[in-house]
């Protein structure tokens, strides 16, 4: 019997994008449904899954998982390109069309707006989503995975855990213990607050203040309509929620330690992805009475994930899941984006997959960033261990890893390509690392005017989605016929483009009124205790090992404060402001700390007169570009150079130019006129 038995049912099948034809590939259709995985817990291929022996079994001794899936495929399979593109999604959300097709984001992609410009379809990919995250609630079209709960001798598995909670606005009095409405919480064994501990602190390294057990409860606040439209509320005891009548202080870090029960076998998320992709690409027979999920021969399979799912890809490969049960390679190439140096905290007892990884302020002590950080073999200078993410040449995929400036400030991205001491590290031949200079973790292709939220500056507005398309073309050529992609581009110590915070601070322009971060998010060596070593459960707040810190470095900047050492999107090469990977919280919400994974846009002065008045050391927009048309020309020139270097597609030059019309408004906040103004008086000088 195979280690995993796959069954599925297609619940919906219909034309995609109103039957639109995508170039020579033609029309696409969408299949959605539910897949069932029956897994032998004693098979060696799943031995690495935490608590696999404790999962609830059926009458045949097998574990059962069920997952949502969605597939977009050419109606005529012969016209596809023979490649499968798996979008890991992000917290259950479908993201690929939004970023590769510059489409309107949707968890139910069906309409023409969801196809965008049709890039993935015009290339002929079979696009696949499968739920892999086993702690999500269904809703809003998310793809979710249901996994077994661990039990021992018919009794619940329990353990002490520590969770972090934070409010970003005033008036929040109730939260799920998971910190997310979309994420399942681990129930408290006892709702007696005297058997738990709640602390709070204003900053990561500030002393913890105890919150009295009488000041909070395991409960949730329910509100709803009453008689004649009155809003009524009730406090309902709940083992999965916390209620603080006085409210959570915005920006403060609350830490709850309590006895929890019912851990889920979240590591099975890696197993179902491995087995489903292997099933699709290796021509398994369709389930009786159901249409085949792929009717074309799949020669190549690629995985893409951003942020959380970029880390998931790195974890998947590191743990050896890129080899299927028969030892075959699952993904030929992977594209982890904005993962920084992290992997998933997923294959552990009482893990919370949705939690943000370690930032300067939020979840700083999350165990997402653990050695090894690099694809290359390196040495942990603290422990002496040697390891690498890629260490199985027979099944390791080709890798194109991309990070923005935010990951260098928030997610310790320099460790992807350095030793733990900070020295440059040579990457394997099958890896490319590209740094998208002066850009932000999340770059919405559909962004209008920049938002500001709880930071002192507007968000980073740099458009980078063009890079995804060229990178996928390069990965496909690399896998298909061995054509190597362009060389890696990232900051290095050897050419002084990767530097310490002090060097960066000395070089960054002194912009009036701008608060700067105290430094990138540090990475200390942490002791999580014996429980973590055994099962991965975080029983107590971790302890910092004195004098044991990893070298986290940042890109050097030019005189405008824009990053050096990487790929500069056209908006960065012809800037209208300083674009950073960091943003500082405003007063009242963690004042002075960085807001996780967020960047800034600090506009240039419109004119030299404004620059002189404000004391801004950066040249004004008018001194750089005499007219709005001149700005468009500069953007076009930058895009053309990127195309020549194979980092952008020729078709995107005009798209960049179109985005730059009218000084790039509404993304940019300049008040300059679109055409040169005509003086209405004589020059009397």
């Amino acid at each position: 019997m195979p280690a995993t038995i796959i069954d599925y049912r297609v619940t919906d099948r219909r034309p995609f994008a109103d039957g639109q034809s995508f170039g020579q590939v033609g029309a696409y259709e969408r299949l959605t449904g539910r897949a069932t995985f029956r897994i032998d817990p004693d098979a060696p291929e799943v031995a690495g899954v935490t608590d696999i022996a404790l999962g609830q079994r059926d009458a045949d001794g097998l574990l059962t998982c069920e997952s949502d899936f969605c597939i977009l495929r050419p109606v005529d399979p012969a016209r596809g390109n023979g490649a499968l593109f798996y979008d890991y999604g992000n917290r259950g959300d479908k993201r690929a069309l939004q970023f590769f097709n510059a489409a309107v984001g949707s968890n139910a992609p069906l309409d023409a707006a969801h196809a965008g410009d049709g890039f993935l379809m015009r290339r002929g990919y079979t696009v696949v989503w499968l739920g892999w995250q086993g702690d999500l609630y269904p809703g809003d079209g998310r793809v979710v995975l249901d996994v077994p709960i661990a039990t021992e001798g018919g009794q619940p598995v329990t353990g002490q855990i520590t969770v972090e909670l934070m409010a970003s606005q005033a008036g929040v009095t109730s939260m799920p213990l998971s910190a997310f409405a979309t994420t399942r919480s681990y129930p408290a064994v006892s709702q007696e607050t005297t058997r738990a501990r709640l602390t709070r602190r204003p900053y990561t390294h500030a002393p913890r203040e105890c919150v009295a057990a009488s000041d909070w409860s395991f409960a949730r606040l329910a509100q709803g309509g009453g008689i004649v439209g009155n809003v009524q509320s009730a406090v309902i005891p709940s083992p999965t929620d916390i209620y603080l009548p006085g409210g959570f202080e915005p920006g403060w870090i609350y830490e709850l330690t309590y006895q929890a029960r019912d851990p889920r076998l979240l590591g099975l998320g890696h197993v179902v992805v491995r087995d489903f992709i292997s099933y699709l690409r290796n021509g398994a027979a369709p389930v009786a009475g159901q249409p085949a999920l792929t009717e074309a021969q799949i020669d190549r399979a690629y995985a893409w994930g951003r942020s959380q799912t970029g880390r998931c890809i790195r974890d998947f490969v590191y743990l050896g899941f890129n080899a299927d049960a028969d030892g075959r390679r699952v993904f030929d190439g992977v594209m982890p984006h904005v993962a920084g140096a992290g992997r998933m905290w997923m294959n552990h007892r009482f893990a919370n997959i949705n939690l943000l990884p370690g930032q300067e302020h939020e979840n700083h002590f999350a165990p997402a960033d653990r050695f090894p950080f690099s694809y290359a073999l390196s040495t942990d200078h603290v422990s002496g261990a040697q390891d690498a993410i890629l260490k199985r040449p027979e099944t390791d995929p080709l890798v194109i890893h991309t990070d923005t400036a935010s990951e260098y400030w928030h997610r310790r991205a320099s460790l992807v390509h350095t030793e733990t001491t900070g020295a440059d590290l040579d990457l394997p031949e099958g890896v490319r690392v590209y740094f998208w200079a002066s850009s932000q973790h999340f770059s919405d292709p559909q962004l209008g005017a920049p938002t500001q939220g709880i930071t002192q500056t507007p968000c980073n507005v740099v458009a980078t989605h063009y890079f995804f398309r060229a990178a996928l073309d390069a990965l496909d050529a690399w896998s298909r016929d061995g054509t190597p992609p362009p060389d890696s581009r990232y900051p290095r110590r050897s050419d002084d483009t990767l530097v310490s915070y002090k060097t960066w601070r000395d070089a960054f322009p002194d912009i009036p009124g701008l608060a700067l971060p105290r430094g990138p998010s540090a990475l200390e060596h942490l002791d999580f205790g014996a429980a973590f070593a055994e099962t991965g459960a975080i029983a107590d707040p971790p302890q910092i090992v004195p004098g044991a810190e990893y070298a986290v470095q940042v890109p050097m900047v030019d005189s405008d404060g824009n990053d050096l050492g990487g790929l500069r999107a056209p908006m960065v090469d012809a800037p209208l402001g300083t674009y950073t990977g960091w943003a500082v919280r405003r007063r009242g919400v963690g004042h002075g700390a960085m807001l996780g994974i967020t960047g800034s846009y600090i506009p240039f002065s419109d004119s030299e007169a404004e620059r002189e008045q404000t004391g801004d050391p950066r040249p004004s927009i008018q001194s750089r570009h005499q007219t709005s048309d001149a700005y468009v020309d500069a953007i076009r020139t930058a895009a053309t150079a990127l195309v020549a270097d194979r980092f952008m597609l020729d078709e995107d030059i005009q798209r960049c130019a179109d985005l730059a019309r009218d000084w790039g408004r509404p993304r940019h906040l300049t008040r300059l006129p679109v055409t040169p103004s005509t003086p209405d008086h004589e020059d009397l000088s």
Side-chain angles (χ1 to χ4, degrees):
M1 183 178 71
T4 300
I5 302 170
I6 298 178
D7 193 1
Y8 66 85
R9 60 189 182 278
V10 174
T11 57
D12 186 77
R13 181 180 184 180
R14 65 179 73 183
F16 175 65
D18 304 318
Q20 174 182 339
S21 181
F22 297 97
Q24 296 181 349
V25 180
Y28 265 66
E29 63 178 349
R30 189 192 74 178
L31 281 67
T32 57
R34 190 87 167 153
T36 301
F37 301 83
R38 300 182 68 222
I39 300 166
D40 179 1
D42 300 319
E45 295 83 8
V46 298
V49 175
T50 298
D51 290 335
I52 189 70
L54 304 182
Q56 297 164 319
R57 306 188 184 202
D58 63 17
D60 297 321
L62 303 179
L63 306 179
T64 299
C65 301
E66 286 198 359
S67 178
D68 301 320
F69 67 81
C70 178
I71 298 175
L72 299 177
R73 66 184 195 183
V75 171
D76 181 353
R79 297 168 72 177
N81 68 351
L84 181 152
F85 180 94
Y86 175 60
D87 172 12
Y88 260 89
N90 183 283
R91 293 167 172 81
D93 296 325
K94 303 179 180 75
R95 296 289 198 186
L97 301 185
Q98 181 180 11
F99 288 99
F100 284 83
N101 287 20
V104 173
S106 174
N107 279 344
L110 186 64
D111 300 334
H114 305 146
D117 65 18
F119 170 77
L120 289 171
M121 284 75 240
R122 288 184 282 120
R123 289 297 191 269
Y125 285 100
T126 295
V127 182
V128 176
W129 293 272
L130 177 81
W132 61 270
Q133 185 172 341
D135 59 357
L136 286 175
Y137 285 113
D140 297 330
R142 290 182 293 274
V143 286
V144 301
L145 170 69
D146 294 330
V147 297
I149 292 173
T151 60
E152 195 160 18
Q155 298 299 311
V157 172
T158 64
Q160 182 170 294
I161 66 172
T162 295
V163 297
E164 184 176 298
L165 306 161
M166 187 183 301
S168 60
Q169 61 186 22
V172 176
T173 59
S174 178
M175 292 188 195
L177 300 182
S178 67
F180 295 90
T182 60
T183 307
R184 301 176 190 272
S185 301
Y186 294 110
V189 172
S190 170
Q191 293 176 231
E192 293 291 333
T193 56
T194 55
R195 300 180 63 180
R197 181 177 68 249
L198 180 65
T199 67
R200 68 175 209 154
R201 62 194 192 277
Y203 298 103
T204 294
H205 296 289
R208 290 171 169 83
E209 304 172 4
C210 286
V211 179
S214 58
D215 290 346
W216 65 278
S217 60
F218 285 104
R220 61 182 174 87
L221 180 67
Q223 293 182 315
I227 300 174
V228 197
N230 292 334
V231 175
Q232 297 180 330
S233 61
V235 177
I236 302 172
S238 168
T240 57
D241 297 271
I242 182 172
Y243 175 60
L244 188 64
F248 292 89
E249 187 76 21
W252 280 58
I253 303 165
Y254 289 78
E255 215 167 48
L256 175 65
T257 300
Y258 71 103
Q259 195 77 6
R261 61 179 172 85
D262 299 340
R264 297 176 177 275
L265 273 62
L266 299 179
L268 288 173
H270 285 325
V271 175
V272 300
V273 170
R274 177 194 68 190
D275 293 345
F276 193 68
I277 300 303
S278 178
Y279 177 86
L280 294 180
R281 70 171 299 176
N282 290 301
V287 171
Q290 297 291 320
L293 297 181
T294 55
E295 295 181 347
Q297 175 64 39
I298 301 296
D299 301 316
R300 310 175 304 286
Y302 308 129
W304 173 79
R306 59 169 307 281
S307 192
Q308 177 211 43
T309 49
R311 291 185 288 117
C312 193
I313 289 173
R314 284 164 54 88
D315 202 51
F316 180 91
V317 174
Y318 172 69
L319 294 175
F321 285 100
N322 205 47
D324 71 9
D326 294 318
R328 297 169 297 194
R329 184 181 286 113
V330 177
F331 293 113
D332 299 280
V334 297
M335 299 176 65
H337 178 59
V338 294
R343 292 185 281 112
M344 284 303 298
W345 181 47
M346 168 177 160
N347 188 31
H348 303 92
R349 184 176 292 180
F350 293 114
N352 181 336
I353 300 177
N354 250 9
L355 277 182
L356 293 174
Q359 322 280 313
E360 181 207 14
H361 193 62
E362 304 97 323
N363 294 295
H364 181 78
F365 299 120
D369 300 336
R370 304 183 309 283
F371 183 81
F373 311 105
S374 179
Y375 300 96
L377 182 66
S378 63
T379 301
D380 182 343
H381 75 279
V382 177
S383 68
Q386 286 192 321
D387 207 349
I389 291 177
L390 298 183
K391 52 188 176 183
R392 301 173 180 87
E394 294 300 316
T395 56
D396 282 338
L398 300 170
V399 178
I400 292 183
H401 177 111
T402 50
D403 277 318
T404 72
S406 291
E407 287 68 62
Y408 282 81
W409 285 91
H410 300 284
R411 298 292 306 110
R412 300 107 180 208
S414 61
L415 290 167
V416 172
H417 50 80
T418 69
E419 298 278 6
T420 60
T421 55
D424 289 335
L425 186 64
D426 292 331
L427 296 176
E429 192 60 38
V431 175
R432 294 291 187 274
V433 172
Y434 301 126
F435 163 49
W436 297 1
S438 283
S439 63
Q440 178 181 275
H441 182 86
F442 186 91
S443 176
D444 184 358
Q446 304 289 335
L447 180 69
T451 58
Q452 188 160 338
I454 63 174
T455 61
Q456 298 179 0
T457 49
C459 72
N460 189 306
V461 298
V462 173
T464 54
H465 57 281
Y466 311 109
F467 289 148
F468 283 125
R469 299 140 76 96
L472 180 56
D473 276 359
L475 180 64
D476 189 44
W478 200 9
S479 172
R480 187 182 64 248
D481 57 31
T483 302
D487 291 342
S488 295
R489 283 203 195 174
Y490 55 83
R492 305 170 196 256
R493 285 267 294 268
S494 60
D495 61 10
D496 297 324
T497 54
L498 185 68
V499 297
S500 68
Y501 171 74
K502 182 182 184 305
T503 300
W504 174 90
R505 179 65 187 84
D506 291 343
F508 195 83
D510 187 13
I511 302 172
L514 179 67
L516 299 181
R518 295 180 61 187
S521 180
L523 183 57
E524 304 91 348
H525 190 75
L526 302 174
D527 180 4
F528 287 95
F532 184 80
E534 181 179 352
T535 65
I538 302 178
D540 289 291
Q543 301 299 307
I544 297 175
V545 178
E549 188 169 312
Y550 298 103
V552 177
Q553 300 164 95
V554 295
M556 186 57 168
V557 292
D558 62 17
S559 59
D560 289 327
N562 287 317
D563 294 331
L564 300 171
L567 293 177
R568 285 187 161 199
M571 288 175 61
V572 180
D573 201 58
L576 296 185
T578 299
Y579 312 101
T580 76
W582 50 264
V584 175
R585 289 168 170 262
R586 59 173 170 79
R587 187 175 296 278
V589 280
H591 186 216
M594 290 191 296
L595 179 64
I597 60 176
T598 303
S600 296
Y601 157 48
I602 306 123
F604 293 150
S605 300
D606 283 344
S607 65
E608 283 299 289
E610 180 187 349
R611 185 190 68 79
E612 291 172 5
Q613 180 67 32
T614 61
D616 194 328
R618 304 166 299 163
S620 68
I621 294 175
Q622 276 191 331
S623 71
R624 301 165 188 259
H625 313 288
Q626 293 300 306
T627 67
S628 58
D629 284 346
Y631 172 63
V632 173
D633 289 342
I635 290 291
R636 189 186 299 276
T637 298
T640 301
L642 287 164
V643 170
D645 290 340
R646 297 172 55 210
F647 291 116
M648 273 181 53
L649 304 181
D650 185 72
E651 67 182 68
D652 288 329
I653 295 175
Q654 187 58 46
R655 292 187 177 95
C656 288
D658 291 342
L659 191 64
R661 300 288 180 197
D662 189 15
W663 295 109
R665 282 187 280 245
R667 284 182 183 240
H668 284 116
L669 302 178
T670 177
R671 295 180 175 86
L672 286 170
V674 179
T675 55
S677 58
T678 301
D680 57 3
H681 57 78
E682 293 183 6
D683 184 355
L684 302 180
S685 61

